Amino acid sequence: MKPIKLVAVVLTALLLAGCPSMTSMLWADNQPAVHYVDKKVGEDRIQAFGVVREANSQLTPNSIVMMGNRYWFVLEPKYTERLSRVLNAKLDRPFEIIRTTASGERVAPVKVSLLGEGQSEFSSDICLRYVTAQAVDKEILTQAGFENTAYTQQGAVYKFCQEVSGKIYTAPPSVQQDYRFEQSFPVEVWTSEAKTSSRVPAIAGRVLLTPFALAVDAITAVVRIPMNASFNRNTGNF
């Protein structure tokens, strides 16, 4: 038998026999490449902070809650002690919310990234900046957990960054007005959307933001935190 015919016969036999390795290689070659693209799926403004004071059916006690018009972002309790010092810092001016990008730092809304198959969980990197030349401010910032990272003509630059994670819920409309502050700060909600190199849409990657609702006992377990930190509604600064 000629060599070319022999190769053809062997390949045919392997495919008919259901050879896993050969079949997977041929299938993989025909699969479109999948890549993930960040997509903004929601926006909100945080009107107040609360803390879960009582045991309930959904929320862990001692969790801090960022209470927005549309969503409630419930942080894991391990962040409560450190974040509480920031929320209670008595300063004359608002903090700047900053985000680090490829082009450097810039003032921007807090970015919340949805996680998990059901996208009910999230992570975020909250970074705040404050510039001051006042000795009393420096002491307050240091006690709140800020670090002096640079000096400018306006004064010393202090930064506070904290990676957080938690769960997102639909804001209860019946209590929004009760918890509203005069000023607020912006939040953007992002997710990863799957894209393919072909016209066939990828199966993975949900872009609909449909958080779970909170039970009545969970809503009543949240108590607003009296805050000293100020907000700037016009500029979007914290």
Side-chain angles (χ1 to χ4, degrees):
M1 184 178 292
K2 294 183 179 180
I4 297 178
K5 290 184 177 181
L6 179 60
V7 172
V9 171
V10 172
L11 287 174
T12 303
L14 288 172
L15 290 174
L16 291 175
C19 176
S21 60
M22 181 63 71
T23 304
S24 62
M25 284 192 300
L26 293 175
W27 176 253
D29 289 341
N30 293 321
Q31 286 296 295
V34 178
H35 63 283
Y36 292 86
V37 178
D38 285 345
K39 181 174 182 178
K40 187 168 71 172
V41 293
E43 295 179 340
D44 203 357
R45 295 196 72 88
I46 302 303
Q47 302 287 351
F49 282 85
V51 63
V52 182
R53 293 298 188 194
E54 302 174 358
N56 59 88
S57 60
Q58 287 175 292
L59 308 180
T60 305
N62 204 38
S63 300
I64 283 182
V65 183
M66 299 194 305
M67 308 165 75
N69 295 322
R70 301 177 64 186
Y71 314 112
W72 277 14
F73 304 90
V74 183
L75 308 182
E76 294 180 20
K78 60 184 177 182
Y79 309 115
T80 298
E81 182 179 355
R82 189 162 189 240
L83 291 177
S84 294
R85 294 198 298 266
V86 175
L87 296 178
N88 290 308
K90 296 181 180 180
L91 297 164
D92 295 332
R93 292 178 289 105
F95 299 121
E96 288 182 313
I97 300 173
I98 57 174
R99 187 186 299 175
T100 302
T101 63
S103 58
E105 290 183 351
R106 63 184 179 90
V107 176
V110 171
K111 181 180 180 180
V112 170
S113 300
L114 299 180
L115 306 171
E117 194 171 318
Q119 300 206 334
S120 61
E121 299 179 355
F122 72 89
S123 67
S124 182
D125 190 2
I126 299 175
C127 282
L128 308 176
R129 180 174 60 195
Y130 196 89
V131 181
T132 183
Q134 304 297 320
V136 63
D137 289 345
K138 295 177 182 179
E139 182 177 355
I140 292 172
L141 291 165
T142 301
Q143 291 177 352
F146 282 73
E147 295 183 358
N148 182 197
T149 59
Y151 291 92
T152 66
Q153 292 182 346
Q154 290 74 33
V157 179
Y158 283 80
K159 292 182 184 178
F160 173 92
C161 290
Q162 176 68 58
E163 293 182 1
V164 298
S165 58
K167 293 186 177 182
I168 180 173
Y169 296 90
T170 300
S174 59
V175 297
Q176 282 183 2
Q177 296 298 328
D178 296 337
Y179 286 85
R180 186 179 298 276
F181 281 171
E182 182 180 352
Q183 298 175 325
S184 60
F185 71 91
V187 170
E188 294 178 348
V189 183
W190 291 71
T191 188
S192 292
E193 181 181 12
K195 300 284 187 179
T196 67
S197 57
S198 70
R199 295 182 179 179
V200 180
I203 297 176
R206 295 178 57 190
V207 296
L208 296 178
L209 181 53
T210 53
F212 292 113
L214 286 167
V216 174
D217 68 322
I219 297 171
T220 56
V222 179
V223 178
R224 191 187 70 186
I225 300 175
M227 288 176 49
N228 293 313
S230 58
F231 298 84
N232 189 312
R233 175 180 297 172
N234 296 326
T235 63
N237 292 351
F238 186 175

